[in-house]
């Protein structure tokens, strides 16, 4: 049992050093805090929950069927949340470089309710975000992903799921690379 924790600890250190090297290159230590979080791992393979959301054009998108190649960042945000907007605007500056280097795709999921969801398109178009923006006015996807507060960001790659929210300072821990998505 101790050996497995030791193994996980060193994988966590490796991940943190890898992220630090990348961030030193971009000089945005803010982003280290963004992606540092708890790793959720389960023994069985798991997919994103199946929830039907709308994009800004009104088309339906099933979250379980979003077919992305490479890593995916899912960021839960709202137009009334200043830290959310700061996070996504900071990522916007680096997003083209990230796409070229890693093939990452960002999906910004707005949790604005029915009263404020019209502001999502106005704000995101005004900032010229190149992200895929989805609307979750009833909070179905938010609940399915276990999100309590915004901003809350998930970094998903082929084998690992990392999550971070504004209230969580816990360092990322790699639980051995078990496939969960």
């Amino acid at each position: 049992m101790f050996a497995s924790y030791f193994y996980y600890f060193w994988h966590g250190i490796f991940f943190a050093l890898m992220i630090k090297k990348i961030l030193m290159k971009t000089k945005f230590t803010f982003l280290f805090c963004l992606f540092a979080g708890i790793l959720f791992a389960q023994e069985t393979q798991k997919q994103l929950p199946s929830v039907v959301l709308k994009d800004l054009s009104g088309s339906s998108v099933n979250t379980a069927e979003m077919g992305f190649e490479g890593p995916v960042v899912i960021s839960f945000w709202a137009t009334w949340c200043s830290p959310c907007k700061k996070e996504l605007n900071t990522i916007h500056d680096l997003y083209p470089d990230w796409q070229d280097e890693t093939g990452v795709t960002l999906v910004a999921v707005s949790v604005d309710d029915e009263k404020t969801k019209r502001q999502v398109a106005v704000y995101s178009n005004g900032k010229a975000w190149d992200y895929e923006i989805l609307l979750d006015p009833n909070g179905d996807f938010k609940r399915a992903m276990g999100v309590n507060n915004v901003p809350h960001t998930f970094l998903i790659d082929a084998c690992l799921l990392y999550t971070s929210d504004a209230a969580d300072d816990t360092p990322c821990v790699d639980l051995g690379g078990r496939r969960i998505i």
Side-chain angles (χ1 to χ4, degrees):
M1 185 76 162
F2 177 77
S4 64
Y5 287 119
F6 187 75
Y7 175 79
Y8 301 152
F9 172 77
W10 284 111
H11 271 68
I13 295 296
F14 174 75
F15 176 78
L17 291 174
M18 182 178 68
I19 293 297
K20 183 177 178 183
K21 182 178 177 182
I22 292 168
L23 294 177
M24 296 276 279
K25 191 172 169 182
T26 61
K27 298 182 182 177
F28 279 97
T29 56
F30 166 77
L31 295 174
F32 180 75
C33 296
L34 170 71
F35 292 119
I38 301 172
L39 170 72
F40 290 98
Q42 298 175 354
E43 294 297 326
T44 59
Q45 184 173 352
K46 193 168 186 176
Q47 294 182 351
L48 287 175
S50 179
V51 177
V52 177
L53 303 177
K54 300 277 186 189
D55 63 14
L56 292 181
S57 65
S59 301
S60 295
V61 177
N62 186 329
T63 56
E65 297 172 1
M66 292 189 296
F68 297 113
E69 293 186 25
V72 178
V73 174
I74 299 176
S75 181
F76 286 86
W77 72 290
T79 57
W80 45 261
C81 173
S82 294
C84 302
K85 295 188 292 189
K86 183 176 181 180
E87 175 181 279
L88 289 170
N89 287 327
T90 301
I91 292 172
H92 173 70
D93 296 337
L94 300 171
Y95 191 54
D97 294 332
W98 284 5
Q99 285 182 310
D100 292 341
E101 292 175 15
T102 65
V104 70
T105 302
L106 190 132
V107 179
V109 179
S110 169
V111 296
D112 283 88
D113 61 15
E114 291 294 331
K115 291 183 223 170
T116 59
K117 75 177 184 179
R118 287 187 289 285
Q119 295 300 317
V120 174
V122 172
Y123 185 81
S124 61
N125 290 337
K127 295 295 182 177
W129 288 350
D130 296 332
Y131 317 139
E132 180 167 350
I133 300 180
L134 301 177
L135 305 174
D136 188 18
N138 297 324
D140 297 332
F141 190 48
K142 177 182 156 186
R143 276 188 300 282
M145 292 292 286
V147 174
N148 292 320
N149 301 313
V150 292
H152 196 117
T153 304
F154 293 87
L155 170 60
I156 305 168
D157 69 15
C159 297
L160 302 173
L161 171 67
Y162 300 93
T163 180
S164 177
D165 65 34
D168 186 6
D169 298 5
T170 308
C172 179
V173 179
D174 178 349
L175 296 178
R178 283 179 258 164
R179 188 170 185 80
I180 63 166
I181 63 169

